[in-house]
Amino acid sequence: QKEVEQDPGPLSVPEGAIVSLNCTYSNSAFQYFMWYRQYSRKGPELLMYTYSSGNKEDGRFTAQVDKSSKYISLFIRDSQPSDSATYLCAMDGGWGGSNYKLTFGKGTLLTVNP
Amino acid sequence: EADIYQTPRYLVIGTGKKITLECSQTMGHDKMYWYQQDPGMELHLIHYSYGVNSTEKGDLSSESTVSRIRTEHFPLTLESARPSHTSQYLCASSDSGVGEQFFGPGTRLTVL
């Protein structure tokens, strides 16, 4: 079993839709949870960063972490064609955990159609 | 925007050639990383460094080597390129905190 599982999609939605992206994980040592966005032929860019369980909101983006279920989500409200990209979840055990090495999901390819 | 640079962005080279992929960051980050990414696949860590003169192999075995003589510079070298090395190579850095890494734009390598 991989440490991080992420449905690769592809996911295609109409403009304005609410998008839900998810990852599950097996390593209970993970404490830091990130979502990266990667446009075609570019490097990943950090989108959201959360510590432990809870919600974090930034504009149209909301990240949720449920450590009891080992499940994280990224919600995109009012999705735009410019949101079309691959979204990767990433996790880190932090100090004394994974020694600053991130574990990535495979990424979900999202297309938002105008 | 993160200041981390990779050159070249694209490289097509013949089998057996020696190549060096350059990575530089201006943020003063201690930690730097090299990842390999194939289409539709997750990022695989191939090398990392926690500081000057510190290098470690990552989770994915790689025939490449790295060096860290200066904080801002983390080049990756392939002594003899092969078609199996064809991939996208991504460099990243992070500071002394935890978690977030900042990525460069990547080098897309094709070995013929």
Side-chain angles (χ1 to χ4, degrees):
Chain A
Q1 181 191 7
K2 287 181 180 285
E3 276 194 300
V4 178
E5 298 279 0
Q6 183 176 9
D7 186 342
L11 184 61
S12 182
V13 301
E15 183 174 354
I18 296 174
V19 176
S20 172
L21 304 168
N22 311 292
C23 288
T24 59
Y25 64 95
S26 57
N27 188 346
S28 57
F30 289 144
Q31 297 183 63
Y32 297 86
F33 304 91
M34 285 137 275
W35 286 94
Y36 283 83
R37 178 175 61 195
Q38 186 176 21
Y39 291 113
S40 181
R41 299 187 178 275
K42 297 286 180 66
E45 58 177 330
L46 183 65
L47 195 60
M48 297 286 283
Y49 175 87
T50 55
Y51 170 69
S52 195
S53 287
N55 294 359
K56 184 174 183 178
E57 189 173 321
D58 184 2
R60 296 184 295 110
F61 298 90
T62 300
Q64 284 187 354
V65 175
D66 183 349
K67 290 192 71 179
S68 62
S69 301
K70 296 189 177 67
Y71 187 86
I72 70 169
S73 300
L74 177 70
F75 297 95
I76 306 174
R77 292 185 300 279
D78 187 25
S79 55
Q80 302 296 308
S82 58
D83 295 328
S84 298
T86 297
Y87 290 80
L88 303 106
C89 62
M91 307 178 189
D92 180 3
W95 296 95
S98 60
N99 295 322
Y100 319 116
K101 292 190 287 179
L102 294 181
T103 301
F104 285 87
K106 193 175 286 191
T108 300
L109 177 61
L110 170 68
T111 301
V112 181
N113 301 299
Chain B
E1 188 172 332
D3 296 327
I4 180 163
Y5 308 98
Q6 290 186 245
T7 57
R9 291 293 314 279
Y10 303 93
L11 180 62
V12 181
I13 198 165
T15 297
K17 299 291 186 184
K18 178 180 178 179
I19 59 168
T20 297
L21 308 184
E22 301 288 348
C23 176
S24 295
Q25 51 97 3
T26 59
M27 297 172 284
H29 287 172
D30 291 332
K31 300 169 184 60
M32 296 190 74
Y33 309 82
W34 276 103
Y35 292 88
Q36 189 171 334
Q37 185 182 35
D38 294 312
M41 301 298 290
E42 59 263 57
L43 276 72
H44 290 289
L45 182 67
I46 52 176
H47 297 284
Y48 60 101
S49 167
Y50 291 157
V52 171
N53 294 325
S54 151
T55 61
E56 301 285 346
K57 288 191 178 295
D59 304 320
L60 182 68
S61 176
S62 174
E63 294 164 347
S64 58
T65 59
V66 293
S67 62
R68 188 89 182 275
I69 298 172
R70 302 198 316 266
T71 297
E72 63 271 21
H73 195 215
F74 191 41
L76 180 145
T77 298
L78 275 167
E79 290 292 333
S80 179
R82 293 208 299 269
S84 60
H85 297 138
T86 295
S87 188
Q88 167 144 284
Y89 292 85
L90 289 160
C91 180
S93 72
S94 66
D95 64 14
S96 296
V98 295
E100 48 191 323
Q101 294 178 12
F102 298 93
F103 284 82
T107 294
R108 187 170 295 274
L109 172 67
T110 302
V111 183
L112 303 175

